[in-house]
Structure formats: C-alpha cells, structure tokens
Amino acid sequence: MINVTLSKRQTDDFGSGYFGAGRGSRTHNGIDYACFAGSTVLSPVRGVVTILGYPYADDFDYRYVQVTDNDGLRHRIFYCLPSCSVGDVVCKGDGIGEAQDISARYDTEDKKMNNHIHYEILDSTNSYLNPEDITHGT
C-alpha cells in the first residue's frame, strides 16, 4: 500500500476505517489508510495484477487494483488510479497507482470524509480477511 506504517483513517462523519467497523446494516470489510490524493500506492504483496476494477457501479471515476498472491488471496486497493496492467507481476513495494481523492465523492456541506485508500483481502471462499492478520511476503 502506500505505507503500512501510516495511520488508519480516523473516525469522521462517515465512520471509522478499521476492519469490522459498523456501516449501517453492514460491516467494513477492510482497513482504510489515510493518505493524500496523488500519493503513490505500493503493492502490499508480491503477485499478479488480476483486476483493474471500479468500486462503484454508478461512478467510473474511481478505481481499484487487485493483486492476487501465490496463496490465491486477492488483495484489493480501492481509490487507486492504476499505473499497472492486468497480467503485470508486481513485488511488494512496487508502485501500482496513485491515490485518488475519495473525499471529493463524499464531502457535503454537513459531512466530511478523510481521504484514504481502502485495503481488503478476499480468500478463495470470498470471505474477507483482516489485513492486519495476514503476514505479507516479499
């Protein structure tokens, strides 16, 4: 990711950035890391870029990058404008894109969201894993 030593997104008007945080009728399936828009996003693992997707069906401005590691875990980094292509082999720490300004989508007159990237991991059963519980290889 950008740098896992950076802080998690602090609680704002839209909630908290920790794994399992409440989101109304659902829970947050990843961890949000605070960052500045335009920051270089680094791959959290060695693997293959398998998807360059869109987190919102109604807004194709925002993107995500999925890197699948050797164990088949799918690491998704949301709000990342890709600088890589599907099929690229990346190492942990390689640049994969640029952090987007997600706060622009959510900021209103009465509510503000702290800018961040979202990092989630899915296993082969499509279960979400807490990124803090996964040891990232090189």
Side-chain angles (χ1 to χ4, degrees):
M1 286 184 316
I2 47 179
N3 181 342
V4 290
T5 62
L6 294 179
S7 63
K8 291 182 190 96
R9 183 183 117 211
Q10 297 300 307
T11 300
D12 57 31
D13 295 329
F14 289 91
S16 296
Y18 64 88
F19 185 83
R23 291 286 192 276
S25 62
R26 64 179 184 86
T27 58
H28 189 235
N29 294 320
I31 297 177
D32 294 341
Y33 290 97
C35 66
F36 294 106
S39 299
T40 299
V41 179
L42 308 178
S43 178
V45 294
R46 176 181 171 79
V48 176
V49 176
T50 49
I51 295 177
L52 301 177
Y54 301 91
Y56 302 110
D58 67 340
D59 188 343
F60 295 120
D61 289 334
Y62 294 96
R63 303 295 306 272
Y64 75 86
V65 174
Q66 176 177 288
V67 178
T68 302
D69 68 20
N70 289 337
D71 295 323
L73 297 177
R74 292 168 286 151
H75 302 257
R76 292 182 175 174
I77 301 90
F78 285 30
Y79 322 129
C80 174
L81 184 63
S83 62
C84 54
S85 299
V86 170
D88 286 355
V89 175
V90 296
C91 293
K92 180 179 179 179
D94 284 352
I96 56 172
E98 180 180 299
Q100 296 181 281
D101 185 4
I102 191 60
S103 66
R105 177 177 165 94
Y106 288 98
D107 283 358
T108 66
E109 263 185 46
D110 3 353
K111 288 185 169 185
K112 301 287 182 205
M113 177 181 279
N114 300 324
N115 206 59
H116 65 279
I117 58 167
H118 169 89
Y119 176 35
E120 64 185 35
I121 302 172
L122 290 119
D123 68 13
S124 61
T125 67
N126 288 325
S127 296
Y128 290 94
L129 306 177
N130 184 344
E132 291 185 319
D133 295 341
I134 304 297
T135 302
H136 300 301
T138 53

